[in-house]
Amino acid sequence: MYGGPIRVEGGIRARSQRGSIGSTWWSRRFIDILERVCDKGRLSRGRAYARQGQVLSIELSPGEVRAAVQGSRRDPYEVVIRIEAYAESRWAIIEESIARQAVYRAKLLAGEMPPEIEELFAALGIDLFPRDLDMDCSCPDWGFPCKHLSAALYLLAESFDDDPFLVLAWRGRTREQLLGSLADVPGGHPTRVEDVPFADRLADFYAPGATAHRPERRPSADAPDLLLRVFPPPGDLARALTPAYQGLCGP
């Protein structure tokens, strides 16, 4: 007779204790896929497991997620969730495409996941989020996915909330690898300024800067009269000094 799972101390507990799990567009996108292809009843029991802290561990590596989930038996069940991890050649195409989109590249370098990136993958004929999941659990349950797999999937979605780059790491590209590649493309990091040694700049240190190419400003035709009004010469010298004022202002 089913007596419920063995309660554990120190398990990974979902932050969301009611309602939907997942707060960002990328985690919700993953959960939408799950809820479309998986049994809703078992997903519901999996959410309960995730909220009770029945998942003991969860580890993500390229193409694979492994978790240990405590069920009703003494030994935790071993869960494995697999997707395709893309090869270097495919990631080179993806990174080149991202690099051509300055906004996407800048957002990723700033640690953000632009919503349009899924469309970028799709345009290349590549899936960002999995359509199908290859899943296994050591439990004897016949349903698919079982509640142990479902619990791991919901906690995986919450981990995507914390770090959107885990979505890409699961596909085979870590944050460090991706950002390093994007920073090395022609043009470099969008906020990086070339560092020129000060000694090499001494020759032009006092040269004109941003104003060097401004159009030359010429005085207006009434500049001499304006000077005479602002700085009137003493006595009757105005007539004698007018040619000098005109010479100062130039043609």
Side-chain angles (χ1 to χ4, degrees), residues 21-39:
I21 290 180
S23 60
T24 58
W25 75 262
W26 49 89
S27 64
R28 287 304 313 167
R29 180 75 178 91
F30 179 63
I31 286 180
D32 287 345
I33 294 170
L34 299 184
E35 294 180 344
R36 188 174 67 247
V37 302
C38 298
D39 179 81

Side-chain angles (χ1 to χ4, degrees), residues 88-102 104-105 120 124 173 178 181-182 185-186:
E88 286 293 317
S89 57
R90 182 167 288 188
W91 269 110
I93 295 171
I94 295 169
E95 290 168 348
E96 181 182 356
S97 183
I98 293 173
R100 288 199 298 264
Q101 303 290 335
Y104 300 175
R105 186 176 128 208
L120 182 147
L124 297 172
R173 212 51 160 187
L178 178 65
S181 297
L182 293 180
V185 298

Side-chain angles (χ1 to χ4, degrees), residues 36 41-42 49 76 79 101 120 122 126 132 168 211 233 238 245:
R36 188 174 67 247
R42 292 185 178 273
Y49 263 48
V79 165
Q101 303 290 335
L120 182 147
I126 302 171
D132 299 301
L168 304 176
T211 60
Y245 275 78

Side-chain angles (χ1 to χ4, degrees), residues 147-158:
K147 51 186 171 291
H148 315 108
L149 279 165
S150 299
L153 289 167
Y154 278 115
L155 287 180
L156 180 61
E158 274 205 349

